Amino acid sequence: MRNLLFLFRVIALFANTALIAQQSITGLVMDEQNTPVSFANILLLKAQDSTMITGTISTEEGTFELMNSAEEPVLVQVTLIGYKDFFSASIPPNNSTDLGTISLELDTQMLSEVVVRGERPLIQQKIDRTVVNVQGAVSSAGNTALNVLSKAPSVTVNRSTNQISMMGKQGILVMMDDKQMRMEMPELLSFLDNMPADNINTIELITSPPASYDAQGVAGIINITTIRKSGEGWVGTYSVNTAYGDRAKYGGSLNLSYQKDKIYFFANASGNLGNLIENVVVFADYDTTEERVVMDLTSARRPFMGLYTGEAGLDYHLNERTTIGVLASFNIRDWTMDAISESDIRSTNTGNFVEFVESVEENFLFRTLLNLNVRHEFSETSNISFDYDNIGFERENPTDYNVLGIFDDGSEEVSDFISDTQTPLDINVFKLDFSTELTEKLTLETGAKVALSEFENDVEVSNLIGDDFVEDDRFTDLFELDEAIYAAYLSTDFQANPKLLIRTGLRYENYHLDLSALDQGQIVDRIQNNLFPSVSLNYRKNEDNEWNFSYVQRIERPSFLNLAPFFYFYNQNTLFTGNPNLIPAISNQFKLDHRYKRLNLSLQYTDTRDPIFNWQAVLEGDPEALVFKAQQGEENRVVAFTADLPWKINSWWSSRYNLLLNYLDQIPLLDGAPVTERNSSFIFTTVQSFDLGKSFDAEISGELNSAQYEGIIRTEPRPTLDIGIRKRFQSGASLALNVTDIFDTSSEWNFVGDNPQDDIFYDWLFDNEGPIVRLSFSMPFGSNTDRDKRERESGSEEEQERLN
């Protein structure tokens, strides 16, 4: 209650201060090709003696705003390396002025003498998101997308439970180039862990998504944007990388584009092969209806994964206002694994025995995307776009288990079994968006979307009895799912005055889910109608003080493979699976941000009804087995505070510090009864960057995680330390050497669960490979003349995440 009162007082403060008259100086910086110039230095000077009053930089769109409180005439200076300085005419005091378009002229003499390299700041704050500029970090070169994502502010990648959280909350929507990734979360983590970070441009942490985004994802959206080259003629970049920890890894990528007149073509391809190591240690103590079981399990897993991606797109400008485009992409994940497990089992019913399990798993995933897009600009401030997407997904996951049990009396028992899962999926998405500037201060966006999904999930588990395999009725079934989402939204941006921006939105979604199984019959027939409101306030008092307040309502619908589950067995009585009985969770989120100079502070409160807690332990089946799966909760309240501070220590040493504090009030349901779990946690990260001279730079990054909590699961504390060094050449090439997890501490994930309601205790340790040394080389080629290109999105950004 005190937190809410505090937020309401801040809103009242915004309302009062917004009434005060303000003066500002605005403008748009362009180059000679009429392309917006980002990160130009904008200085406000006294007209009399050119003394500097304040300054800022232009945005990525080339715009800028200076707050003018001087009581004497002023002028504006715009500077950028490689361009001649611009000076405005004298501006009278106490006067709001729009300088319009400022065209910068190339300084050809300077360009002939120096190599120009402009770099964006590592972290940028916007009204509804935080943008991490990946290429600004030394450790990104040669690293993986997952490692880079795990270092993003307030993001946690838990490899033991295969979850990604943001601001202490699960339920993240992961997108790539504004398109959802249609993968189960473990497969998505593997995909990102083998994707080179050299291909990533930015990571957007969208904690308060506007109404134009689907409402899916109670914790927000993470959007990874990849690098697409643009320039006259053919341009591109190729890169190669290799890594070694306990086993070898290697790969390469190619980014290519062609632009001339009305045509823009791009293509990207990558391939990565990796030999991996995973060791698992489990202790479990539980009571079934017939016996008490104490188990010590060790598993040595040796996967090999091939990851192949390809993308090609073409934009054709029919005229100055209309563009049509087509985009096609594919992802192939080919995973094979040999694993050996040994379980020492002590049972009050069957006695003591040792069970050896040798398994061979294949997991083949093939995902395709076809996007057709039309965009028309009625004017510079009004446009409409239409998208059609077809998403195909197919997963095959056969596994053979050879089981040998040796009892105390020396007797042996062979109980081999097999499991197989085949999951074809087809999604069609239609999306229409319209945006217009009604007045100089008011912008309207509206749109509609239809997403139609259908798939089958054929799951078979069979036990060897005699010479034949006989289906296990506990786990075998054929699931069929049909899902339809009809949505419409309305969003406005209102610039109340030069300092206050108000963004409001309302989204309506009609959701129909029909899930049935061959043996179980109808499982779910659900129809929901929801309204999702959102509001954001941005108040910029001056260059050093900025406030943001937002409220959003979100939903977390169960993933497709939770609804139609998969199975993975460590032994015959210990397995991971999904839960078709889950229902959607609804969250309400309030967030307050404040920036003072370089310091960024954030306070967030989220209340989620019917939350989904992952990998909770239950006893199921006949005979009963220890099953880990997602479970419904009653409520999940999270208060999160973050502080982020960049600090330039001297001319060659800069640093950044980030602290996340969480207080969690979680109520999971154990055997139908609510149990309150109250905990606190923190994550502290720091990045130290060094300019070593002669085009060498280095980086040291560290992170300390306290114990983290989800339902009844506690993940133990975990520190990590990474280092990297990079050499950049005048040709644009770069060579980087990185070492992740130097002290082999972050590769160990230990989580503990205690369920006294069902008398279950378990302690899991996942030990992944570490430390890992990575070497990478990248080289650009073709023209260096950048040209404006169209930002491409598909209409199915949110649909492509539901397999997470």
Side-chain angles (χ1 to χ4, degrees), residues 681-724:
S681 63
F682 73 85
I683 301 175
F684 175 74
T685 59
T686 182
V687 178
Q688 308 292 320
S689 302
F690 307 92
D691 184 351
L692 305 180
K694 296 185 178 180
S695 298
F696 280 94
D697 47 6
E699 183 179 285
I700 301 174
S701 61
E703 180 175 290
L704 177 61
N705 288 263
S706 73
Q708 307 292 318
Y709 301 88
E710 182 180 2
I712 60 172
I713 292 179
R714 166 190 165 103
T715 303
E716 298 296 343
R718 189 180 57 88
T720 183
L721 185 68
D722 303 335
I723 62 172

Side-chain angles (χ1 to χ4, degrees), residues 262-264 314-319 322-326 790:
K262 297 182 177 183
I263 296 176
Y264 173 67
L314 176 68
D315 286 343
Y316 182 75
H317 299 274
L318 295 175
N319 51 53
T322 306
T323 303
I324 60 174
V326 60
R790 186 164 70 114

Side-chain angles (χ1 to χ4, degrees), residues 360-484:
V360 178
E361 178 186 3
E362 298 179 17
N363 197 328
F364 180 81
L365 183 149
F366 183 53
R367 170 184 171 273
T368 61
L369 168 68
L370 174 64
N371 167 250
L372 303 177
N373 174 273
V374 180
R375 178 183 174 88
H376 177 73
E377 295 182 354
F378 299 103
S379 66
E380 293 182 358
T381 59
S382 180
N383 64 78
I384 190 170
S385 64
F386 171 77
D387 285 270
Y388 165 71
D389 283 13
N390 175 262
I391 304 151
F393 176 90
E394 188 161 348
R395 180 173 180 262
E396 298 179 1
N397 185 204
T399 309
D400 295 338
Y401 300 89
N402 298 318
V403 184
L404 173 64
I406 302 177
F407 294 85
D408 281 351
D409 60 5
S411 62
E412 297 183 358
E413 180 180 280
V414 175
S415 51
D416 296 349
F417 66 101
I418 59 174
S419 70
D420 191 12
T421 304
Q422 297 187 25
T423 312
L425 181 149
D426 187 69
I427 301 175
N428 290 281
V429 180
F430 305 86
K431 187 168 183 269
L432 182 68
D433 297 284
F434 173 72
S435 175
T436 186
E437 188 177 282
L438 299 177
T439 69
E440 291 184 358
K441 295 185 176 182
L442 181 61
T443 300
L444 171 71
E445 291 185 27
T446 186
K449 182 175 180 179
V450 176
L452 306 174
S453 307
E454 60 179 15
F455 80 92
E456 291 183 351
N457 192 38
D458 190 356
V459 181
E460 178 185 353
V461 178
S462 298
N463 299 306
L464 181 64
I465 300 178
D467 295 329
D468 300 318
F469 281 96
V470 179
E471 289 186 355
D472 190 330
D473 294 336
R474 295 177 299 170
F475 309 117
T476 299
D477 215 335
L478 174 62
F479 298 85
E480 293 185 353
L481 179 146
D482 288 290
E483 181 190 75

